[in-house]
Amino acid sequence: QVKVAESGGGSVQDGGSLSLSCSMSEDTDSNKCTGWFRQAPGKGREGIASIDNGGTVVRYHDSVKGRFTIGRDNSASIVYLQMNDLKPEDTAMYYCASSSTWTNCLRPAGPRPGDFSVWGQGTQVTVSS
């Protein structure tokens, strides 16, 4: 099955920007939908953005609409998450995950954790005020 690994986390000030990358390897053809998720201390895992394998179907959670952009470079097997206008409430561990089911990318409110079976180790994003 495909493997995924996140990179690009770090610490920024309120209003700053970061770009996260999700690199895929091995059985990349099995990746039909990629999701970005985050989990803050003491909270559940939240789906924030998803993109299908063709790069044409994208969804965002309301909390990040207009600030985050998801994209992919299939030639490099990478899915990106550009995060602008970051706020302290965006502080969390960020994860990417892969699903072999394309329709999991159609949820209007963004990806649901239970739909994804392959997960990375996560990358920390900290936004200070």
Side-chain angles (χ1 to χ4, degrees):
Q1 64 180 2
V2 67
K3 294 184 178 179
V4 299
E6 306 90 342
S7 61
S11 298
V12 295
Q13 297 281 336
D14 190 355
S17 298
L18 280 174
S19 182
L20 305 183
S21 295
C22 175
S23 299
M24 289 180 249
S25 60
E26 302 194 8
D27 185 19
T28 56
D29 285 345
S30 67
N31 169 250
K32 304 302 182 187
C33 178
T34 306
W36 279 101
F37 302 81
R38 65 186 180 188
Q39 188 166 16
K43 295 190 176 181
R45 194 162 294 189
E46 173 185 51
I48 56 174
S50 65
I51 187 167
D52 76 324
N53 56 325
T56 57
V57 179
V58 298
R59 297 288 188 268
Y60 297 97
H61 188 273
D62 283 349
S63 64
V64 305
K65 277 182 183 176
R67 300 188 298 125
F68 292 10
T69 302
I70 191 170
R72 66 187 303 144
D73 179 351
N74 283 339
S75 66
S77 298
I78 296 176
V79 172
Y80 299 97
L81 185 69
Q82 177 64 40
M83 305 186 295
N84 297 328
D85 190 23
L86 283 160
K87 307 175 186 300
E89 52 264 40
D90 293 318
T91 294
M93 185 71 77
Y94 282 68
Y95 301 88
C96 73
S98 174
S99 170
S100 59
T101 303
W102 182 82
T103 52
N104 287 336
C105 263
L106 297 180
R107 294 189 180 275
R112 187 177 71 175
D115 290 341
F116 292 76
S117 59
V118 177
W119 292 81
Q121 294 298 307
T123 186
Q124 178 69 36
V125 172
T126 303
V127 186
S128 56
S129 56

